[in-house]
Amino acid sequence: MNTSIQQQLALLVSAAGAMTVALDGTILLVAQPGLQRDLGASVAQIQWTSTGYLIAVAALLVIAGRLGDRYGHPRLLLVGVLGFGAASAGIALAPTVGWVIVLRAMQGGFGALLQPATLALLRLAYPAHRLGTPIAVRTSAIAVAAGAGPLIGGVLVAHLGWRAVFWVNVPVTVVIAALALALRTPTPQPTASSRLNLTGAGLLAIAIAVLVHALADVPARGWTAPPTLLELLTLTGIAAVLARHERRTTNPIVPPAVARSAPVTAAMAVLLVTTAGLFGALFRATFYLQDTLHLDPLASGLRVFPLTALMVLGAPAAVAALRRYGARRTALTGTALVAVGIAGLSRPGPDSPWMAMTAAFAVIGAGFAAVMVTATGTVVGDAPPGYAGVVGGLKQTAMNIGPTLGIAVAASVTGPAVSTMGSALLVLAALAALGLLPASRLPRRPGHQQGRETTSAYAAQAPTPQTAPARHANTP
């Protein structure tokens, strides 16, 4: 196949893989009540069907990206998507909630293999200065999948039961795997710089798992509960050991070329705090719409729909802004819009026009589209040669930790939430506004110019793995 067809195929596989994970995350919420009734599960067990998945995927993302850099991202994607589908089938057949929890954790592990590969494929298929459009398509696809999840889940659960939510993943993952087999991209040769440091990988996985578990339990336990404080203290100790190990080892899990990249680290920081603000606001808004305004799930979804719509429509506009004004201005504008939109949600009350909340969600969606396109383009396009996988893993880690942090903050901030969504939204707006600081560290020049310069700079300072001739994704 020629280069153009391979690029289109890489974009299709990348978008489809990202959509599968995004759809699974939102569709599960609709299935959980039926799952609880059918299997006689407790609330804590149902919570672990989400927490177990989240811990597994967050803990393994960077490691999966490292493995992809060493063995080839099409191979990791193929293993990840087939494993994701197999785990979904197992959940659909699970006789007890215990099996569901175990298989959901396995599904998270395979999802970790899948997610960095979907980003790295774009970097392998497209030159850095042409990444804007494929990243915008991928961003829009994720927004569509996340927004459609509750609707599709509601239809499936209503007519076929909760198990259908997991069965639907099976044919989808088989199709994605078949497309992945047709991909031919350069495969890195194993080098000393791409070897996986097992000690560092283990410490990083444990640290992220402890962090995610601590944050996930904050809504139930609070920030000052002894178990939370103990986990945060444990995390501090593990992080100190990891940092010491990374300084001394010859093969750190996060390569120095990545750790020292100001654009990459700044982009991930922006994603972390803006996703925290966004998902914390959605968490608070969901309870407000259903418990205070007494809207049903469909009516609540329609109030939030402008967020999804503006993310889809805003992604191409963000690409144009990125090319014209550069990453810094685009990210600053997008971050400011997210913060202003979240703050705007704190104003409407039960007697306020519904358009006020709709407008706030639209502003958030437009801003987050700009942040996603800019930060993703910076992370992937400015990745040092040979490190697209580990950079993609770090980006996805930020995208997984951010929502957990935001929900923990939203659940712990008290305020006059009877008539409005209260002070929690102002705190979340301030959290999102923190992204203005790292956004100001992003490249000033337009993305296509910056991409060429950063690629040349990295080539001079970072080890570049030699690539083998293009070959089939599953070639031994």
Side-chain angles (χ1 to χ4, degrees), residues 136-234:
V137 172
R138 184 179 184 274
T139 300
S140 297
I142 293 172
V144 169
L151 176 61
I152 296 174
V155 173
L156 290 173
V157 172
H159 293 87
L160 301 172
W162 67 268
R163 296 179 190 271
V165 165
F166 296 98
W167 278 124
V168 75
N169 286 334
V170 178
V172 173
T173 53
V174 170
V175 171
I176 296 173
L179 294 173
L181 287 172
L183 276 174
R184 287 177 172 84
T185 58
T187 303
Q189 292 282 9
T191 65
S193 63
S194 64
R195 291 175 184 167
L196 181 64
N197 184 299
L198 294 179
T199 302
L203 288 170
L204 179 64
I206 294 171
I208 295 177
V210 171
L211 172 61
V212 171
H213 185 265
L215 292 175
D217 276 359
V218 164
R221 301 188 308 203
W223 288 98
T224 58
T228 302
L229 296 177
L230 178 61
E231 286 185 308
L232 294 178
L233 181 62
T234 302

Side-chain angles (χ1 to χ4, degrees), residues 24-33 35 42-58 91 97 100-109 166 212-213 216-217 400 404 407:
D24 183 81
T26 56
I27 205 172
L28 175 66
L29 298 176
V30 182
Q32 284 180 330
L35 188 156
S42 65
V43 174
Q45 288 173 321
I46 291 299
Q47 182 181 357
W48 265 103
T49 63
S50 297
T51 303
Y53 174 94
L54 183 61
I55 291 174
V57 71
I91 296 169
V97 70
V100 174
I101 293 171
V102 171
L103 289 167
R104 278 286 290 171
M106 292 178 61
Q107 191 182 40
F166 296 98
V212 171
H213 185 265
D217 276 359
N400 277 271
T404 312
I407 292 172

Side-chain angles (χ1 to χ4, degrees), residues 66-413:
R66 246 346 204 150
L67 291 172
D69 288 332
R70 179 171 174 79
Y71 298 109
H73 297 290
R75 291 178 178 175
L76 267 290
L77 186 144
L78 184 63
V79 173
V81 74
L82 288 176
F84 195 91
S88 297
I91 296 169
L93 296 170
T96 65
V97 70
W99 277 104
V100 174
I101 293 171
V102 171
L103 289 167
R104 278 286 290 171
M106 292 178 61
Q107 191 182 40
F110 286 113
L113 297 179
L114 170 64
Q115 292 185 56
T118 63
L119 275 176
L121 284 180
L122 296 182
R123 184 63 184 91
L124 292 173
Y126 292 85
H129 64 281
R130 291 186 54 203
L131 278 169
T133 298
I135 286 175
V137 172
R138 184 179 184 274
T139 300
S140 297
I142 293 172
V144 169
L151 176 61
I152 296 174
V155 173
L156 290 173
V157 172
H159 293 87
L160 301 172
W162 67 268
R163 296 179 190 271
V165 165
F166 296 98
W167 278 124
V168 75
N169 286 334
V170 178
V172 173
T173 53
V174 170
V175 171
I176 296 173
L179 294 173
L181 287 172
L183 276 174
R184 287 177 172 84
T185 58
T187 303
Q189 292 282 9
T191 65
S193 63
S194 64
R195 291 175 184 167
L196 181 64
N197 184 299
L198 294 179
T199 302
L203 288 170
L204 179 64
I206 294 171
I208 295 177
V210 171
L211 172 61
V212 171
H213 185 265
L215 292 175
D217 276 359
V218 164
R221 301 188 308 203
W223 288 98
T224 58
T228 302
L229 296 177
L230 178 61
E231 286 185 308
L232 294 178
L233 181 62
T234 302
L235 172 64
T236 303
I238 297 172
V241 174
L242 175 61
R244 187 169 181 266
H245 173 78
E246 289 283 279
R247 286 195 300 267
R248 295 188 173 190
T249 185
T250 56
N251 297 306
I253 190 68
V254 179
V258 174
R260 295 169 187 166
S261 170
V264 171
T265 54
M268 288 187 292
V270 173
L271 283 172
L272 177 68
V273 294
T274 52
T275 54
L278 169 63
F279 281 86
L282 286 174
F283 174 83
R284 193 64 180 249
T286 299
F287 284 97
Y288 173 75
L289 290 170
Q290 296 188 22
D291 293 350
T292 302
L293 299 186
H294 305 293
L295 300 178
D296 59 39
L298 178 59
S300 299
L302 290 175
R303 292 284 182 98
V304 181
F305 178 74
L307 188 152
T308 300
L310 265 292
M311 275 193 67
V312 174
L313 298 174
V319 174
L322 186 60
R323 289 173 177 166
R324 181 176 178 86
Y325 301 109
R328 183 181 300 179
R329 291 183 182 178
T330 307
L332 285 171
T333 302
T335 303
L337 287 174
V338 172
V340 169
I342 295 173
L345 286 178
S346 68
R347 304 295 297 173
D351 298 326
S352 301
W354 65 271
M355 284 296 295
M357 181 175 289
T358 299
F361 277 123
V363 171
I364 296 172
F368 194 66
V371 170
M372 275 283 288
V373 170
T374 304
T376 304
T378 300
V379 166
V380 179
D382 289 5
Y387 296 132
V390 69
V391 168
L394 287 168
K395 182 258 181 185
Q396 293 299 129
T397 301
M399 292 286 292
N400 277 271
I401 293 176
T404 312
L405 172 62
I407 292 172
V409 171
S412 59
V413 176

Side-chain angles (χ1 to χ4, degrees), residues 342-344 346 422-431:
I342 295 173
S346 68
S423 59
L425 272 298
L426 296 178
V427 173
L428 291 166
L431 178 60

